[in-house]
Amino acid sequence: ASTNMIMSVAMEASAADEARITFIVSRSLSGDLKDVSLKGQVREVDRVGIHPLKELDVGNVGWNPKQVSQTFKVNNDIRLVAEMTLTATRAGGAPFEEKFIYYWPGKSGEKFDLVAGGIASTYKRAPAKKTKQYPKPERVTLIPHEKPIYLECRGIGYSIMKVKEAAKLAGIEEVKAGSFQNTFAGSNLSYVPTSYEEMLAYDFVVLNNVTAESMTDFGLELLKDYVKAGGGLLVIGGWFAFDPGGYAGTQLEEILPVKLFGSPFSWERLVPPVPLTITAEARCLAGARWAGTPLCYWRQKLSPREGSWVEIMAGDKPFLVCGAYGKGRVAAITTHAYGNPSSGETPFWEDGAWVDNLSKLVKWLAFGAKK
């Protein structure tokens, strides 16, 4: 689903060597759709095999859904992925297209793990625990840089949290970025440090709504040693962070100043939305103020770990938690820029003091004491 359309997709074996794919389409929030059509192909997952699909004319679509389907020749007992493009015209006359994929495990019905990109067996046994050995220098030493630079691993919606603006206000204008993507085959980042020399080039690191998997095992080990040696780390929540991001059991869980909820369904909606307040125990934000009444609409169920402290509360729930790991500093924001403000409301990311307060946190992460 999107703001343009809502769709159901299904595939089934229609004959011994055929499969049928069916699409049920209706409009979404943007209004009725005109001249809707679907085109694409079906790709075999386990071997090279492409099956082009004929273009399907859906016509005009409102709230009442329309159904179209077609059959194609294929071995229907293998795993298939339909890669589709929907084209249409919005009610106002603007054309658009939506791309999407649909996975089908074949008529045998194998269960496919969309995150791991493999078959999820109905019988599972925990593998023997292995101790991984990584190439490490005898001593990891972090030296402050004359020209500060930070690393931001950027997930969906990263720019709305305004880390770049806050870093610039804190005196750090240079950034190295890695872009996050999540597909049926797993998640990854376009850039992850692959050596201690690379990791130690940064004055602080931001994980902005990204999974642990995308950092790679060695990348997480680098990050842990970086923070332990005196680096700063900011972890921002989201649909791909903390519990949903697979942080449990990784080096990230060890570093974090918060305890994980223990389930990927860690989100709670705050109804009504609650205001942010700076706590009396705040250190980075001591004396800071808000421009208005910033509101929080969603949060992840994370609790402060022993030895950490809460800088900002969302109502009676922790919003920003800080702590130490080794010689380093770690901060966790337990949400992202999620929510639909009503008229007259100010979401926290639009408050006039958000960037200024975030810059104070950045200074603490990058430089330790206030710069």
Side-chain angles (χ1 to χ4, degrees):
S2 71
T3 56
N4 292 314
M5 58 84 180
I6 301 171
M7 180 181 298
S8 172
V9 187
M11 201 180 297
E12 61 182 347
S14 57
D17 59 349
E18 284 185 349
R20 177 185 294 112
I21 187 167
T22 301
F23 306 91
I24 303 176
V25 189
S26 76
R27 58 159 282 187
S28 186
L29 302 176
S30 298
D32 291 349
L33 305 178
K34 296 181 179 179
D35 304 322
V36 180
S37 65
L38 288 159
K39 58 183 178 181
Q41 64 184 18
V42 172
R43 178 168 55 85
E44 298 179 15
V45 173
D46 299 306
R47 58 190 182 189
V48 179
I50 301 293
H51 305 272
L53 296 176
K54 297 177 182 178
E55 185 169 352
L56 292 170
D57 181 17
V58 184
N60 300 336
V61 176
W63 282 121
N64 292 325
K66 286 191 174 181
Q67 177 174 315
V68 291
S69 63
Q70 69 170 279
T71 58
F72 56 96
K73 295 286 186 180
V74 70
N75 176 357
N76 54 39
D77 200 26
I78 62 175
R79 299 186 294 156
L80 304 171
V81 172
E83 302 168 331
M84 304 299 300
T85 299
L86 178 146
T87 58
T89 303
R90 297 187 185 92
F96 71 93
E97 68 175 32
E98 299 265 10
K99 295 182 181 293
F100 60 94
I101 62 174
Y102 171 76
Y103 170 78
W104 188 57
K107 67 181 180 181
S108 61
E110 294 168 320
K111 295 180 179 179
F112 187 67
D113 187 330
L114 292 178
V115 175
I119 298 298
S121 172
T122 55
Y123 171 74
K124 291 184 179 181
R125 185 177 66 179
K129 189 173 182 179
K130 297 180 180 179
T131 302
K132 295 184 179 180
Q133 299 294 327
Y134 300 100
K136 294 188 180 186
E138 290 185 8
R139 185 176 180 182
V140 179
T141 305
L142 182 63
I143 301 173
H145 304 95
E146 184 176 343
K147 187 176 182 181
I149 179 174
Y150 73 100
L151 168 65
E152 184 174 8
C153 301
R154 294 172 168 175
I156 297 172
Y158 76 91
S159 62
I160 307 175
M161 293 296 283
K162 303 176 183 175
V163 175
K164 185 177 180 180
E165 293 86 339
K168 185 176 181 180
L169 191 61
I172 308 175
E173 297 193 24
E174 191 171 346
V175 57
K176 174 74 174 181
S179 299
F180 172 81
Q181 66 174 353
N182 191 62
T183 71
F184 71 91
S187 59
N188 60 77
L189 282 157
S190 62
Y191 168 75
V192 176
T194 57
S195 69
Y196 281 88
E197 183 181 14
E198 277 187 76
M199 182 62 81
L200 294 170
Y202 304 110
D203 291 270
F204 79 104
V205 176
V206 184
L207 304 186
N208 195 339
N209 190 19
V210 300
T211 63
E213 177 192 40
S214 67
M215 286 292 295
T216 75
D217 284 343
F218 186 42
L220 290 174
E221 188 72 9
L222 290 172
L223 182 61
K224 184 182 85 169
D225 288 343
Y226 164 81
V227 175
K228 192 174 182 179
L233 171 65
L234 171 60
V235 183
I236 298 175
W239 304 123
F240 298 101
F242 297 114
D243 285 288
Y247 290 7
T250 70
Q251 296 93 326
L252 272 176
E253 184 176 23
E254 182 181 337
I255 299 171
L256 290 173
V258 291
K259 291 185 288 186
L260 298 176
F261 180 64
S263 164
F265 305 103
S266 63
W267 282 95
E268 62 176 332
R269 187 180 181 186
L270 304 175
V271 181
V274 298
L276 298 189
T277 56
I278 297 169
T279 68
E281 65 176 335
R283 304 177 193 179
C284 317
L285 302 180
R289 298 286 185 272
W290 297 109
T293 304
L295 297 177
C296 182
Y297 298 81
W298 291 83
R299 71 173 292 272
Q300 286 171 276
K301 299 175 183 178
L302 304 167
S303 55
R305 179 172 280 173
E306 185 178 353
S308 64
W309 67 93
V310 180
E311 293 271 335
I312 300 175
M313 295 287 287
D316 61 351
K317 314 285 187 182
F319 175 92
L320 170 61
V321 183
C322 294
Y325 180 78
K327 297 179 181 179
R329 301 156 301 283
V330 189
I333 295 177
T334 63
T335 188
H336 209 276
Y338 296 154
N340 297 307
S342 299
S343 177
E345 293 180 349
T346 302
F348 70 83
W349 60 90
E350 292 183 2
D351 184 87
W354 170 250
V355 172
D356 183 60
N357 289 341
L358 190 58
S359 74
K360 292 178 172 62
L361 177 66
V362 167
K363 287 182 181 180
W364 176 73
L365 290 168
F367 309 114
K370 292 185 178 180
K371 189 179 178 185

